[in-house]
Amino acid sequence: MRHSPPTGFIQDASEDDPYKYQLGFGNHHVTEAIAGALPPNGTNLPKKTRYGLFAEHLNGTSFISSRETVSNVWMYRKRPAAAHKPVGPVQTSHQIEACFLPTNSNVSFTPLGYTCGPLSTNTPEKTTPTPSESGRTSNITFIQGLKTIGGHGDSTLKEGLAVHQYAFNTDMHRQALVNHDGDFLMVPQRGMLDIKTELGILRVKPGMIIVVPAGIRFSVSIVHDSILPAAEIEPGAVGYVLEIFGTHYTLPDLGVLGANGLAHIRDFEYPVATFDTNGSSQANDMEWEITIKLAGKLSSYNQPHTPFDVVAWHGRYAPFRYDMARFGHLTANVDQLDPTAYCVLTAPSKWPGVSLVDFCVFGEKWAVAQNTVRIPYYHRTMATELGGVIKGEYKGSVRPLEAGGLCFEQGYMPHGESYEAYVRDSKTEHEPLKVGKDYLGFMFHVSSHIALTKWAMEEHPDIRPERAGLWDPFQSHLLDHIDVINESLANAGLAGLDTPRSDQNKPLTPPATPNCVMVPDSDRRGRVPTVDVQMDGTEP
């Protein structure tokens, strides 16, 4: 007697997530909300579809693409997406950019490093409220709360990326967004989200990421957690977005790692087909507003029916989520692993073998390296590094970075930990140690220079340059070993070095540091406490 399940494995709903999911990164998924809604095998465009549905094709890659890269989806829906009213410009202002060429006066390149604090859902913009607005929280949706920090390239050239922060406190009610510029990788830091897409609904909590491909309409709502007292948290949602132009996210090659490590294919979750049932006829359906983002500009159109009416779909071009707690961190017993050893997703550039950007995650792992520096070492790289904190205490010694904030290091600029951290690490007897407990951070590792937006430089409510005098305490210790050096030079037939004065020959000791360090007056936070560096061998 044989026993076989009637369908493939589907991740069932749980107590904190009412939705079901299909599993497997890049799989060709097949899903129906009503059995039989998909046409029979062998055709995508039958003359008469079952249930009177309209077939609609969304192509995420060019028609002439290799079989391993082609990505599209066939949808079977109540009405085609083409059934909408005329498109018009959005009149309200916004702080979104998609062109980062030097010709754009709203962006500028700088070699200086900066740290941005988290955005607030109560004060989304640095403005002075009127007396009538004082003490009142504005209603901000995801679209209104999306602010561009910086980027590279230009969406119209299909090359580059944009980095955004978001802060909002209101659901998109009968509203949807469709991004024509690129794919959104969203990283919630605070606030659990329900993201309704044309292909289904995904629940995304802090510690997860979600990717919504270009061209797919979606709406963002906040899941209100009744466990946390409202008085103890600021209402709303805060997080980050990494947007890529002209390419799509993929998994990094495993190479010598073989079959295991990093993010597993089966841990990526895709929605199942679901559709809105309100309004059985066009006359009874309610008005919806669809906002288009194209070349960083917003337009919109209305339609008298929901955009979320897909009854069945099949294909590879679909949104997905990933829980970063499932990531397989790597360790090294000598030296350090580069930050891309913690890569969850990568996006290829137009240069063969070179990524546009890597999304890396830093969580709990073992530090086991012996007789090697465990703190982030001093380095310069062609890549620009943008790091953020999702939860826990940031252990870097160079900058204060709280959860929801974002730090920026331009490509080729030298950076690393403070002299104090270096001295402490050099004197520490290293034993295997589990680091990163209750911590989760990430990095956007960008293979190009990044331009910062005028909004980030002039209107961000909390942006701080690298504090003055940070590197002043550094000492050279070469001449501490002058006797050994001169002996070596003499053996080589070379003249020795001059003997330093006694006050120059200082032992390897950390400088005296106050409990607080002063930061520039432009920083509204004023005095920032110093923190200990995490000796875990990862990028901050």
Side-chain angles (χ1 to χ4, degrees), residues 201-220:
I201 310 175
L202 303 92
R203 177 159 292 185
V204 189
K205 62 183 180 180
M208 291 181 172
I209 59 172
I210 180 174
V211 170
V212 181
I216 292 180
R217 295 179 289 182
F218 68 98
S219 183
V220 185

PDB file of all heavy atoms in Angstrom, residues 201-220:
ATOM      1  N   ILE A 201       0.053  37.364   0.089  1.00  0.00           N
ATOM      2  CA  ILE A 201       0.381  38.200   1.244  1.00  0.00           C
ATOM      3  C   ILE A 201       1.528  37.555   2.021  1.00  0.00           C
ATOM      4  O   ILE A 201       1.553  36.345   2.235  1.00  0.00           O
ATOM      5  CB  ILE A 201      -0.835  38.380   2.169  1.00  0.00           C
ATOM      6  CG1 ILE A 201      -2.071  38.816   1.357  1.00  0.00           C
ATOM      7  CG2 ILE A 201      -0.538  39.401   3.262  1.00  0.00           C
ATOM      8  CD1 ILE A 201      -3.347  38.903   2.169  1.00  0.00           C
ATOM      9  N   LEU A 202       2.462  38.389   2.473  1.00  0.00           N
ATOM     10  CA  LEU A 202       3.576  37.928   3.291  1.00  0.00           C
ATOM     11  C   LEU A 202       3.618  38.753   4.575  1.00  0.00           C
ATOM     12  O   LEU A 202       3.452  39.977   4.543  1.00  0.00           O
ATOM     13  CB  LEU A 202       4.912  38.086   2.550  1.00  0.00           C
ATOM     14  CG  LEU A 202       5.058  37.403   1.191  1.00  0.00           C
ATOM     15  CD1 LEU A 202       4.670  38.363   0.067  1.00  0.00           C
ATOM     16  CD2 LEU A 202       6.482  36.904   0.982  1.00  0.00           C
ATOM     17  N   ARG A 203       3.834  38.085   5.684  1.00  0.00           N
ATOM     18  CA  ARG A 203       4.041  38.768   6.967  1.00  0.00           C
ATOM     19  C   ARG A 203       5.540  38.810   7.238  1.00  0.00           C
ATOM     20  O   ARG A 203       6.220  37.781   7.209  1.00  0.00           O
ATOM     21  CB  ARG A 203       3.305  38.063   8.104  1.00  0.00           C
ATOM     22  CG  ARG A 203       3.547  38.691   9.470  1.00  0.00           C
ATOM     23  CD  ARG A 203       2.457  38.341  10.461  1.00  0.00           C
ATOM     24  NE  ARG A 203       1.194  38.979  10.088  1.00  0.00           N
ATOM     25  CZ  ARG A 203       0.083  38.917  10.835  1.00  0.00           C
ATOM     26  NH1 ARG A 203       0.090  38.228  11.961  1.00  0.00           N
ATOM     27  NH2 ARG A 203      -1.016  39.519  10.433  1.00  0.00           N
ATOM     28  N   VAL A 204       6.048  40.007   7.525  1.00  0.00           N
ATOM     29  CA  VAL A 204       7.480  40.203   7.677  1.00  0.00           C
ATOM     30  C   VAL A 204       7.731  40.920   9.001  1.00  0.00           C
ATOM     31  O   VAL A 204       7.282  42.049   9.194  1.00  0.00           O
ATOM     32  CB  VAL A 204       8.060  41.027   6.508  1.00  0.00           C
ATOM     33  CG1 VAL A 204       9.572  41.036   6.562  1.00  0.00           C
ATOM     34  CG2 VAL A 204       7.588  40.465   5.172  1.00  0.00           C
ATOM     35  N   LYS A 205       8.448  40.274   9.891  1.00  0.00           N
ATOM     36  CA  LYS A 205       8.762  40.863  11.187  1.00  0.00           C
ATOM     37  C   LYS A 205      10.232  41.268  11.213  1.00  0.00           C
ATOM     38  O   LYS A 205      11.026  40.815  10.375  1.00  0.00           O
ATOM     39  CB  LYS A 205       8.480  39.859  12.302  1.00  0.00           C
ATOM     40  CG  LYS A 205       9.313  38.594  12.228  1.00  0.00           C
ATOM     41  CD  LYS A 205       8.925  37.607  13.321  1.00  0.00           C
ATOM     42  CE  LYS A 205       9.773  36.338  13.230  1.00  0.00           C
ATOM     43  NZ  LYS A 205       9.404  35.366  14.280  1.00  0.00           N
ATOM     44  N   PRO A 206      10.630  42.140  12.145  1.00  0.00           N
ATOM     45  CA  PRO A 206      12.052  42.473  12.274  1.00  0.00           C
ATOM     46  C   PRO A 206      12.886  41.208  12.453  1.00  0.00           C
ATOM     47  O   PRO A 206      12.532  40.313  13.220  1.00  0.00           O
ATOM     48  CB  PRO A 206      12.093  43.358  13.522  1.00  0.00           C
ATOM     49  CG  PRO A 206      10.739  44.006  13.552  1.00  0.00           C
ATOM     50  CD  PRO A 206       9.790  42.953  13.064  1.00  0.00           C
ATOM     51  N   GLY A 207      13.983  41.135  11.732  1.00  0.00           N
ATOM     52  CA  GLY A 207      14.779  39.910  11.673  1.00  0.00           C
ATOM     53  C   GLY A 207      14.569  39.160  10.378  1.00  0.00           C
ATOM     54  O   GLY A 207      15.316  38.234  10.076  1.00  0.00           O
ATOM     55  N   MET A 208      13.551  39.551   9.610  1.00  0.00           N
ATOM     56  CA  MET A 208      13.312  39.004   8.286  1.00  0.00           C
ATOM     57  C   MET A 208      13.591  40.072   7.236  1.00  0.00           C
ATOM     58  O   MET A 208      13.681  41.262   7.544  1.00  0.00           O
ATOM     59  CB  MET A 208      11.855  38.544   8.133  1.00  0.00           C
ATOM     60  CG  MET A 208      11.466  37.342   8.949  1.00  0.00           C
ATOM     61  SD  MET A 208       9.727  36.918   8.640  1.00  0.00           S
ATOM     62  CE  MET A 208       9.612  35.354   9.511  1.00  0.00           C
ATOM     63  N   ILE A 209      13.723  39.635   5.992  1.00  0.00           N
ATOM     64  CA  ILE A 209      13.754  40.541   4.855  1.00  0.00           C
ATOM     65  C   ILE A 209      12.692  40.106   3.864  1.00  0.00           C
ATOM     66  O   ILE A 209      12.232  38.954   3.882  1.00  0.00           O
ATOM     67  CB  ILE A 209      15.135  40.565   4.165  1.00  0.00           C
ATOM     68  CG1 ILE A 209      15.510  39.151   3.664  1.00  0.00           C
ATOM     69  CG2 ILE A 209      16.203  41.120   5.088  1.00  0.00           C
ATOM     70  CD1 ILE A 209      16.759  39.120   2.804  1.00  0.00           C
ATOM     71  N   ILE A 210      12.289  41.027   3.002  1.00  0.00           N
ATOM     72  CA  ILE A 210      11.371  40.699   1.919  1.00  0.00           C
ATOM     73  C   ILE A 210      11.869  41.382   0.659  1.00  0.00           C
ATOM     74  O   ILE A 210      12.363  42.512   0.707  1.00  0.00           O
ATOM     75  CB  ILE A 210       9.918  41.126   2.233  1.00  0.00           C
ATOM     76  CG1 ILE A 210       8.993  40.764   1.049  1.00  0.00           C
ATOM     77  CG2 ILE A 210       9.833  42.596   2.581  1.00  0.00           C
ATOM     78  CD1 ILE A 210       7.521  41.012   1.326  1.00  0.00           C
ATOM     79  N   VAL A 211      11.764  40.696  -0.461  1.00  0.00           N
ATOM     80  CA  VAL A 211      12.103  41.253  -1.762  1.00  0.00           C
ATOM     81  C   VAL A 211      10.827  41.318  -2.596  1.00  0.00           C
ATOM     82  O   VAL A 211      10.139  40.304  -2.765  1.00  0.00           O
ATOM     83  CB  VAL A 211      13.174  40.412  -2.481  1.00  0.00           C
ATOM     84  CG1 VAL A 211      13.341  40.875  -3.921  1.00  0.00           C
ATOM     85  CG2 VAL A 211      14.502  40.490  -1.739  1.00  0.00           C
ATOM     86  N   VAL A 212      10.506  42.524  -3.076  1.00  0.00           N
ATOM     87  CA  VAL A 212       9.374  42.725  -3.972  1.00  0.00           C
ATOM     88  C   VAL A 212       9.934  43.142  -5.326  1.00  0.00           C
ATOM     89  O   VAL A 212      10.500  44.231  -5.460  1.00  0.00           O
ATOM     90  CB  VAL A 212       8.402  43.794  -3.444  1.00  0.00           C
ATOM     91  CG1 VAL A 212       7.218  43.947  -4.407  1.00  0.00           C
ATOM     92  CG2 VAL A 212       7.906  43.435  -2.044  1.00  0.00           C
ATOM     93  N   PRO A 213       9.826  42.295  -6.347  1.00  0.00           N
ATOM     94  CA  PRO A 213      10.394  42.635  -7.663  1.00  0.00           C
ATOM     95  C   PRO A 213       9.706  43.827  -8.304  1.00  0.00           C
ATOM     96  O   PRO A 213       8.541  44.139  -7.999  1.00  0.00           O
ATOM     97  CB  PRO A 213      10.165  41.356  -8.474  1.00  0.00           C
ATOM     98  CG  PRO A 213       9.976  40.274  -7.468  1.00  0.00           C
ATOM     99  CD  PRO A 213       9.292  40.928  -6.316  1.00  0.00           C
ATOM    100  N   ALA A 214      10.414  44.482  -9.197  1.00  0.00           N
ATOM    101  CA  ALA A 214       9.863  45.612  -9.943  1.00  0.00           C
ATOM    102  C   ALA A 214       8.627  45.182 -10.724  1.00  0.00           C
ATOM    103  O   ALA A 214       8.556  44.062 -11.235  1.00  0.00           O
ATOM    104  CB  ALA A 214      10.921  46.171 -10.895  1.00  0.00           C
ATOM    105  N   GLY A 215       7.659  46.081 -10.802  1.00  0.00           N
ATOM    106  CA  GLY A 215       6.467  45.832 -11.605  1.00  0.00           C
ATOM    107  C   GLY A 215       5.334  45.156 -10.879  1.00  0.00           C
ATOM    108  O   GLY A 215       4.231  45.062 -11.426  1.00  0.00           O
ATOM    109  N   ILE A 216       5.554  44.675  -9.652  1.00  0.00           N
ATOM    110  CA  ILE A 216       4.508  44.009  -8.877  1.00  0.00           C
ATOM    111  C   ILE A 216       3.879  45.020  -7.921  1.00  0.00           C
ATOM    112  O   ILE A 216       4.576  45.656  -7.117  1.00  0.00           O
ATOM    113  CB  ILE A 216       5.062  42.800  -8.109  1.00  0.00           C
ATOM    114  CG1 ILE A 216       5.469  41.708  -9.107  1.00  0.00           C
ATOM    115  CG2 ILE A 216       4.044  42.272  -7.109  1.00  0.00           C
ATOM    116  CD1 ILE A 216       6.033  40.463  -8.468  1.00  0.00           C
ATOM    117  N   ARG A 217       2.571  45.176  -7.999  1.00  0.00           N
ATOM    118  CA  ARG A 217       1.879  46.109  -7.129  1.00  0.00           C
ATOM    119  C   ARG A 217       1.766  45.527  -5.719  1.00  0.00           C
ATOM    120  O   ARG A 217       1.511  44.330  -5.542  1.00  0.00           O
ATOM    121  CB  ARG A 217       0.499  46.431  -7.709  1.00  0.00           C
ATOM    122  CG  ARG A 217       0.596  47.174  -9.047  1.00  0.00           C
ATOM    123  CD  ARG A 217      -0.760  47.490  -9.650  1.00  0.00           C
ATOM    124  NE  ARG A 217      -1.450  46.302 -10.145  1.00  0.00           N
ATOM    125  CZ  ARG A 217      -2.628  46.319 -10.757  1.00  0.00           C
ATOM    126  NH1 ARG A 217      -3.245  47.475 -10.953  1.00  0.00           N
ATOM    127  NH2 ARG A 217      -3.186  45.212 -11.186  1.00  0.00           N
ATOM    128  N   PHE A 218       1.958  46.390  -4.713  1.00  0.00           N
ATOM    129  CA  PHE A 218       1.908  45.919  -3.334  1.00  0.00           C
ATOM    130  C   PHE A 218       1.437  47.023  -2.402  1.00  0.00           C
ATOM    131  O   PHE A 218       1.495  48.214  -2.728  1.00  0.00           O
ATOM    132  CB  PHE A 218       3.273  45.387  -2.887  1.00  0.00           C
ATOM    133  CG  PHE A 218       4.357  46.424  -2.760  1.00  0.00           C
ATOM    134  CD1 PHE A 218       4.689  46.976  -1.532  1.00  0.00           C
ATOM    135  CD2 PHE A 218       5.074  46.837  -3.882  1.00  0.00           C
ATOM    136  CE1 PHE A 218       5.691  47.925  -1.413  1.00  0.00           C
ATOM    137  CE2 PHE A 218       6.091  47.792  -3.775  1.00  0.00           C
ATOM    138  CZ  PHE A 218       6.392  48.333  -2.533  1.00  0.00           C
ATOM    139  N   SER A 219       0.963  46.613  -1.238  1.00  0.00           N
ATOM    140  CA  SER A 219       0.463  47.529  -0.216  1.00  0.00           C
ATOM    141  C   SER A 219       1.023  47.099   1.128  1.00  0.00           C
ATOM    142  O   SER A 219       1.148  45.901   1.404  1.00  0.00           O
ATOM    143  CB  SER A 219      -1.072  47.503  -0.196  1.00  0.00           C
ATOM    144  OG  SER A 219      -1.588  48.437   0.734  1.00  0.00           O
ATOM    145  N   VAL A 220       1.370  48.074   1.975  1.00  0.00           N
ATOM    146  CA  VAL A 220       2.044  47.796   3.238  1.00  0.00           C
ATOM    147  C   VAL A 220       1.170  48.231   4.403  1.00  0.00           C
ATOM    148  O   VAL A 220       0.705  49.377   4.451  1.00  0.00           O
ATOM    149  CB  VAL A 220       3.409  48.520   3.322  1.00  0.00           C
ATOM    150  CG1 VAL A 220       4.144  48.127   4.600  1.00  0.00           C
ATOM    151  CG2 VAL A 220       4.262  48.205   2.090  1.00  0.00           C
TER     152      VAL A 220
END
